[in-house]
C-alpha cells in the first residue's frame, strides 16, 4: 500500500525544523504531530521513521541529496522514506526522482570513505577511533546507525517474566527474555503498548536492557536507604524500588521538577510506596546535606553527552559540539563528589553514564578515586558475580551496542571504606 504524496511534504516540513537542532528531535516531532491531529497512526509512523533514518544517515544522505538537481530537503526526505518504508511504498514521485532514488539505493556503502560510512561528525569519529581502533569503530558505528529494539522490564511486584511472555503472546506480541537483565524482555517489532492491561496495571515498563543492568548492579536490598541521585523520569528508580520489594526508603533526586513529574504516573502504576521524589537545586542542596553519611547505596546516572543512545536519539551526535564533552566532565566530577557525601561507612556508590567517551567515563572514575581516599573501587567483575549477571567485564561495566545489543553504558562501583571519616562539608 502506497503512502499518500502529502506525507513527503509533511516530512519535509518537520525535517526542516529538526535540522535547526534547536531542540531534541523527539520533542519537535511530538509538537508537530500535536499540531497536525489529522495525520493517522500509519502516517505519523512513516514520518517519524523517515526523520530518524535521515538523522542516522545524515552525512551520507546529505552528500547524495546535494549532488545534482532538485531540492535538497525533498531529496533527503525521499532517501529517508525509502530507508524507512521501502521504495515501493512511495507515491507521487516524478520519473526523474524515481530514477535518481533507485540509483542511490544501489550504492554499496561498504565502499564509502570510513567517516562517511560511520555517519557521525569527524570529531566524534576520531575520538572513537582513538579509543577502539578504526575497525571496531566502524562496527560500532553500524550498530549505532541501526534502530534500537524495544526492551521491557517486568515489575516483579506484579508479575514474573514467564507470565508476561504468555500474556503478551495473546495480544499477539512476541517477546524473548534478555540475556543479562533477569527481568528484561526484548519485543519483536514495535507494537503499541500503552493500551495493554499489562502496561496499565504496571506489570511492565519500557526500559533498555543496559539501563536495567545498571539498576541491578547497585544491589539495593530490602529495608535499605537508597538514593537515585539523577532520577530523571524514574526508569531506574522504579527498578530499584521493586528490587527493594517496596521496603526501606528510596529517594529520587533530580534538579528538574518537570522530569520528576513524569515519574508520578509511572509510580502510581507500579504499586511502589517506598519512593520519595525530591526536587533539588544542585548537588550541594541542603536536602542532600541532611542525609550525609546515612545512605546505604547511591546511584549517580550522571548527565552526559548521550553518545551511547544514538540508536534511539541519532540527533544527539549532530547537536553536541566537541567542547561540550569537557563541560560535561567538570559537571560529572562535581555531581559525583556531591553524591558521595551521602554514602555511609561500608555503603556503595555507582557512577554511570550512557556515554561511550572516556572523558565522561574512565577519566571521571579515576579522578574520583584519586581525590577520595575514603572510597575504594569495587571491580565490576566482582559486582556482576554478586548479582549473578553473566557478563565478562574488568574494573568497569562497558556495555556496547555491537557487542551486547544494549545502548552504550558505563558504570563504576565505589565502596566507602569502613570507619572512614564522613565528609559532611
Amino acid at each position: 500500500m502506497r503512502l499518500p504524496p502529502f506525507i513527503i511534504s509533511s516530512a519535509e516540513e518537520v525535517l526542516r525544523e529538526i535540522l535547526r537542532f534547536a531542540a531534541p528531535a523527539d520533542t519537535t516531532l511530538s509538537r508537530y504531530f500535536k499540531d497536525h491531529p489529522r495525520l493517522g497512526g500509519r502516517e505519523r509512523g512513516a514520518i517519524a521513521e523517515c526523520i530518524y533514518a535521515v538523522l542516522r544517515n545524515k552525512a551520507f544522505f546529505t552528500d547524495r541529496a546535494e549532488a545534482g538537481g532538485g531540492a535538497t530537503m525533498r531529496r533527503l526526505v525521499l532517501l529517508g522514506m525509502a530507508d524507512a518504508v521501502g521504495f515501493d511504498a512511495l507515491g507521487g514521485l516524478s520519473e526523474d526522482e524515481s530514477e535518481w532514488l533507485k540509483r542511490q539505493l544501489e550504492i554499496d556503502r561498504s565502499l564509502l570513505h570510513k567517516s562517511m560510512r560511520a555517519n557521525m561528525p569527524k570529531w566524534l569519529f576520531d575520538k572513537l577511533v582513538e579509543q577502539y581502533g578504526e575497525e571496531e569503530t566502524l562496527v560500532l558505528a553500524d550498530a549505532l546507525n541501526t534502530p534500537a529494539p524495544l526492551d521491557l522490564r517486568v515489575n516483579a511486584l506484579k508479575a514474573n517474566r514467564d507470565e508476561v511472555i504468555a500474556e503478551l503472546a495473546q495480544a499477539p506480541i512476541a517477546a524473548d527474555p534478555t540475556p543479562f537483565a533477569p527481568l528484561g524482555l526484548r519485543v519483536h517489532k514495535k507494537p503499541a503498548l500503552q493500551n495493554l492491561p499489562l502496561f496499565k496495571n504496571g506489570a511492565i515498563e519500557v526500559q533498555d536492557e543496559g539501563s536495567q543492568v545498571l539498576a541491578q548492579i547497585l544491589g539495593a536490598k530490602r529495608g535499605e536507604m537508597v538514593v537515585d541521585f539523577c532520577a530523571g523520569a524514574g526508569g531506574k528508580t522504579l527498578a530499584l524500588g521493586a528490587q527493594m520489594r517496596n521496603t526501606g526508603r528510596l529517594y529520587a533526586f533530580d534538579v528538574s521538577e518537570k522530569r520528576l513529574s513524569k515519574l508520578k504516573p509511572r509510580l502510581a502504576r507500579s504499586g511502589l510506596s517506598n519512593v520519595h521524589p525530591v526536587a533539588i537545586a544542585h548537588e550541594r542542596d541542603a536536602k542532600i546535606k541532611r542525609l550525609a553519611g546515612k545512605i546505604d547505596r547511591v546511584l549517580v546516572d550522571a548527565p552526559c553527552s548521550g553518545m551511547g543512545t544514538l540508536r534511539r536519539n541519532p540527533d544527539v551526535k549532530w547537536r553536541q559540539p566537541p567542547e561540550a564533552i569537557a563541560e560535561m566532565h567538570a559537571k560529572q566530577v562535581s555531581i559525583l563528589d556531591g553524591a558521595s557525601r551521602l554514602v555511609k561507612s561500608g555503603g556503595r556508590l555507582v557512577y554511570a553514564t550512557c556515554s561511550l567517551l572516556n572523558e565522561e567515563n574512565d577519566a571521571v572514575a579515576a579522578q574520583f578515586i584519586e581525590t577520595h581516599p575514603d572510597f575504594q573501587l569495587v571491580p565490576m567483575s566482582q559486582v556482576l558475580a554478586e548479582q549473578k549477571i553473566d557478563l565478562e567485564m574488568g574494573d568497569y561495566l562497558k556495555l556496547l551496542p555491537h557487542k551486547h545489543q544494549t545502548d552504550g553504558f558505563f558504570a563504576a562501583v565505589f565502596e566507602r571504606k569502613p570507619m572512614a571519616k564522613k565528609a559532611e562539608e
Side-chain angles (χ1 to χ4, degrees), residues 13 20 34 63 135 140-141 148 157 160 180 189 191 201 214 232 242 288 311 329 381 384 398 417:
E13 189 179 353
R20 293 190 178 105
K34 194 175 178 183
D63 180 73
E135 191 176 334
L140 170 59
L157 299 180
N160 67 45
F180 311 123
K189 301 184 180 175
N201 70 20
L214 279 193
I288 298 166
R311 301 182 307 166
H329 173 89
S381 52
L384 293 168
K398 294 186 177 185
K417 295 172 184 175

Side-chain angles (χ1 to χ4, degrees), residues 2 8 69-70 74-75 78-79 82 86-106:
R2 290 199 160 199
I8 291 172
R74 180 172 172 85
R75 286 185 165 206
L78 294 181
L79 289 165
F87 176 83
D88 292 338
L90 300 183
L93 303 189
S94 70
E95 193 174 326
D96 284 349
E97 284 176 331
S98 292
E99 289 302 315
W100 174 82
L101 191 52
K102 282 177 188 172
R103 285 199 306 275
Q104 306 314 310
L105 298 176
E106 287 166 2

Side-chain angles (χ1 to χ4, degrees), residues 100-116:
W100 174 82
L101 191 52
K102 282 177 188 172
R103 285 199 306 275
Q104 306 314 310
L105 298 176
E106 287 166 2
I107 291 172
D108 182 353
R109 295 206 211 174
S110 67
L111 303 175
L112 295 172
H113 183 272
K114 294 176 178 65
S115 59
M116 177 74 73

Side-chain angles (χ1 to χ4, degrees), residues 1 13 20 60 76 91 108 142 164 179 224 257-259 266 268 283 333 391 411 421:
M1 185 176 168
E13 189 179 353
R20 293 190 178 105
F60 173 62
L76 279 175
D108 182 353
D142 285 345
V164 170
E224 289 186 329
E257 286 199 41
K258 187 178 178 183
R259 281 197 295 266
R266 301 172 80 185
E283 61 268 23
V333 167
L391 269 167
K421 189 176 183 299

Side-chain angles (χ1 to χ4, degrees), residues 316-388:
V316 164
K317 61 188 173 185
W318 308 113
R319 285 197 294 116
Q320 294 269 15
E323 55 272 16
I325 306 304
E327 292 167 16
M328 283 290 181
H329 173 89
K331 183 187 286 189
Q332 289 151 352
V333 167
S334 179
I335 289 171
L336 186 54
D337 176 64
S340 72
R341 296 157 194 255
L342 293 166
V343 184
K344 72 190 222 183
S345 177
R348 283 196 177 175
L349 170 66
V350 172
Y351 171 73
T353 75
C354 53
S355 176
L356 301 165
L357 303 177
N358 284 343
E359 295 101 311
E360 301 183 86
N361 297 338
D362 310 51
V364 174
Q367 189 170 335
F368 179 78
I369 281 294
E370 195 178 310
T371 54
H372 293 76
D374 51 336
F375 279 86
Q376 63 191 6
L377 182 74
V378 184
M380 190 56 63
S381 52
Q382 177 188 324
V383 176
L384 293 168
E386 289 169 1
Q387 294 299 322
K388 299 180 173 59

Side-chain angles (χ1 to χ4, degrees), residues 22-34:
D26 58 351
T27 304
T28 305
L29 263 175
S30 296
R31 190 174 65 242
Y32 183 83
F33 292 149
K34 194 175 178 183

Side-chain angles (χ1 to χ4, degrees), residues 106-301:
E106 287 166 2
I107 291 172
D108 182 353
R109 295 206 211 174
S110 67
L111 303 175
L112 295 172
H113 183 272
K114 294 176 178 65
S115 59
M116 177 74 73
R117 182 180 141 194
N119 264 298
M120 56 180 63
K122 188 176 184 304
W123 71 264
L124 178 58
F125 181 74
D126 291 345
K127 268 186 189 295
L128 294 177
V129 168
E130 192 180 320
Q131 282 180 217
Y132 300 106
E134 195 174 81
E135 191 176 334
E136 188 171 2
T137 294
L138 287 171
V139 179
L140 170 59
D142 285 345
L144 289 171
N145 289 325
T146 305
L150 175 62
D151 291 351
L152 307 177
R153 179 183 58 80
V154 175
N155 180 357
L157 299 180
K158 299 209 169 188
N160 67 45
R161 193 152 66 167
D162 289 339
E163 290 168 351
V164 170
I165 289 172
E167 192 166 333
L168 285 173
Q170 300 299 311
I173 296 169
D176 297 317
T178 50
F180 311 123
L183 293 168
L185 289 174
R186 183 150 295 157
V187 177
H188 301 199
K189 301 184 180 175
K190 293 198 178 172
L193 298 171
Q194 59 269 28
N195 294 322
L196 292 178
L198 280 170
F199 184 81
K200 287 180 175 178
N201 70 20
I204 55 171
E205 274 285 340
V206 174
Q207 188 177 17
D208 181 77
E209 184 186 16
S211 177
Q212 295 181 48
V213 170
L214 279 193
Q216 191 78 15
I217 64 173
L218 188 65
K221 296 187 175 76
R222 288 171 181 262
E224 289 186 329
M225 294 259 284
V226 177
V227 168
D228 186 355
F229 200 76
C230 306
K236 295 179 194 69
T237 309
L238 298 175
L240 294 171
Q243 269 178 47
M244 296 164 72
R245 304 303 296 178
N246 207 15
T247 64
R249 198 166 180 88
L250 173 56
Y251 292 96
F253 288 152
D254 203 272
V255 294
S256 168
E257 286 199 41
K258 187 178 178 183
R259 281 197 295 266
L260 280 177
S261 69
K262 293 179 181 174
L263 169 59
K264 288 177 183 172
R266 301 172 80 185
L267 203 51
R269 287 197 305 268
S270 72
L272 292 171
S273 56
N274 65 335
V275 177
H276 304 274
V278 181
I280 56 173
H282 45 71
E283 61 268 23
R284 298 283 188 275
D285 195 301
K287 295 169 190 168
I288 298 166
K289 200 170 182 180
R290 284 198 290 270
L291 294 170
K294 296 177 182 175
I295 305 298
D296 294 286
R297 297 169 197 270
V298 178
L299 173 62
V300 180
D301 183 11

